[in-house]
Amino acid sequence: MTDIQKAISLLKNSKHTCVVCKDDTEYISDLKGIAPMIEFMKNGYDLCGASVADRIVGRAAAMLFVKAGIKEAFCEVVSKDAVKLLNTHGINCSWDVITDMIINRKGDGPCPMEKAVCGLGDDEIELGYDKIVQTLDELRSNQKSHS
């Protein structure tokens, strides 16, 4: 079984939200949104050349895949913009559903991560990463002040 086949199988046969496979190593997360990739990267996991299976992938998640060196991705739901970005960077991508936009959890507008990277070029991966981390910090800070 290939890494991408293993990742897809682990994702589809579980409630996990993100699975990364590379050789005999598996990184699995149940966190929501882009949090799994951020955590994997902050923990220093070697994702270069790995395959990922994820529930929902927009442009922000695609930027993280590029930054991490992912070679192949499967997405249950993917945005057209994410597919374009992944293809530009030579990352093979397959999916169940393709959509124009990733919406927020309330369902009333675009995902805040997508808004954070909107307008950035396909080569502005580092800037995208910085904007994603900044937006995550702002969202977490707002949650704490409303608790």
Side-chain angles (χ1 to χ4, degrees), residues 128-142:
Y129 178 79
D130 292 344
K131 286 185 171 283
I132 290 165
V133 169
Q134 178 185 357
T135 302
L136 268 179
D137 289 344
E138 288 169 5
L139 289 170
R140 288 178 178 147
S141 165
N142 288 342

Side-chain angles (χ1 to χ4, degrees), residues 12-29:
K12 290 205 173 260
N13 296 311
S14 72
K15 293 187 188 226
H16 303 310
T17 57
C18 183
V19 178
V20 178
C21 293
K22 181 179 176 184
D23 303 322
D24 293 330
T25 304
E26 299 167 359
Y27 302 112
I28 296 172
S29 180

